[in-house]
Amino acid sequence: MLLRKRLLFYSPPPAADLCHLVYCANFLLTHSEKLRGNSCRPYYFVNIADTNILSKELSYIACTTEKVMETKSDIYDLYIDNGAVTITSDKLKSLLRVTKGDRIRLGRLYSAIRQPVSCDDTPMTVEDNFYTFFSQLNRDIATRINRLSISDECRLSSQDLSDMGLDSSDSSFLNHLLESLDLDMVVSCSCCSFIQ
């Protein structure tokens, strides 16, 4: 969701589970540090009458129970039908490949869920753990990018990647994120090298 894409979930009725997916997907964008132009509007239920509204959105998370929405590929970047994902661009397809960094973060997320940290002796729910995990990850990414975007050097080093919770295998994601934020930054580390 940091990449500001249009995400449409589909499933036959009832819509309650789909609405919960929109709610959970919205967690993927949660952070206290703002990135310029990085917002995503949740629509808890849309139908064919909403295509005009959705076509004007740059980024959203929505759900529908109307299968006909799949034919409207100009209004979404990703269409998810009970786990089957339709992607409208080749560039986005390459970004959705699982990386070494993804596997590392998934391991950290599983650890957080198995060994939850509690606040004031109140146990955290699985939902609390997801929220905390993604909020911290997104905050770390946003904080580092914001700090470096106002510096003279505008370089992201191996240490910067690590501080953001990213791995060298995440360079494609980072490049796309910097592009979506219209930032000119250089990633310069021994593990990867690209110029935005």
Side-chain angles (χ1 to χ4, degrees), residues 3-195:
L3 297 178
R4 298 170 49 188
K5 299 301 175 194
R6 300 169 301 163
L7 178 64
L8 182 60
F9 290 101
Y10 163 80
S11 182
D17 288 343
L18 282 175
C19 292
H20 190 70
L21 282 174
V22 171
Y23 175 73
C24 290
N26 204 35
F27 277 153
L28 298 178
L29 192 58
T30 303
H31 53 88
S32 57
E33 183 79 20
K34 297 295 180 200
L35 283 170
R36 69 177 175 185
N38 194 268
S39 63
C40 184
R41 182 170 180 175
Y43 288 98
Y44 289 96
F45 184 80
V46 294
N47 61 37
I48 196 70
D50 298 313
T51 55
N52 192 37
I53 294 167
L54 295 177
S55 68
K56 295 174 184 170
E57 292 284 353
L58 297 175
S59 177
Y60 68 80
I61 308 166
C63 67
T64 187
T65 58
E66 296 181 5
K67 185 74 171 166
V68 69
M69 296 290 278
E70 183 176 16
T71 65
K72 309 295 183 190
S73 60
D74 58 322
I75 65 164
Y76 61 82
D77 298 309
L78 290 102
Y79 179 87
I80 301 161
D81 178 351
N82 288 320
V85 179
T86 301
I87 305 167
T88 59
S89 83
D90 290 335
K91 186 175 184 179
L92 190 54
K93 284 178 187 175
S94 69
L95 287 172
L96 293 177
R97 289 191 186 104
V98 177
T99 66
K100 176 185 167 195
D102 293 329
R103 289 184 189 95
I104 291 168
R105 282 184 297 280
L106 182 60
R108 288 193 343 239
L109 178 59
Y110 281 151
S111 293
I113 291 170
R114 283 192 296 263
Q115 301 170 352
V117 176
S118 61
C119 298
D120 303 327
D121 295 325
T122 304
M124 290 179 68
T125 65
V126 171
E127 192 172 275
D128 292 336
N129 278 298
F130 274 102
Y131 176 83
T132 300
F133 180 84
F134 286 109
S135 178
Q136 181 177 343
L137 179 65
N138 292 341
R139 185 192 67 239
D140 292 345
I141 292 170
T143 300
R144 183 64 52 156
I145 287 174
N146 285 339
R147 187 175 57 83
L148 291 172
S149 70
I150 59 172
S151 72
D152 291 334
E153 195 166 321
C154 288
R155 290 187 174 277
L156 293 166
S157 66
S158 298
Q159 186 60 49
D160 292 319
L161 289 175
S162 178
D163 290 348
M164 287 189 275
L166 299 177
D167 180 80
S168 62
S169 63
D170 297 315
S171 62
S172 182
F173 161 77
L174 187 55
N175 187 28
H176 195 78
L177 178 60
L178 294 171
E179 181 183 306
S180 75
L181 298 171
D182 198 27
L183 293 174
D184 291 325
M185 288 192 180
V186 176
V187 173
S188 60
C189 57
S190 59
C191 56
C192 57
S193 179
F194 65 86
I195 297 178

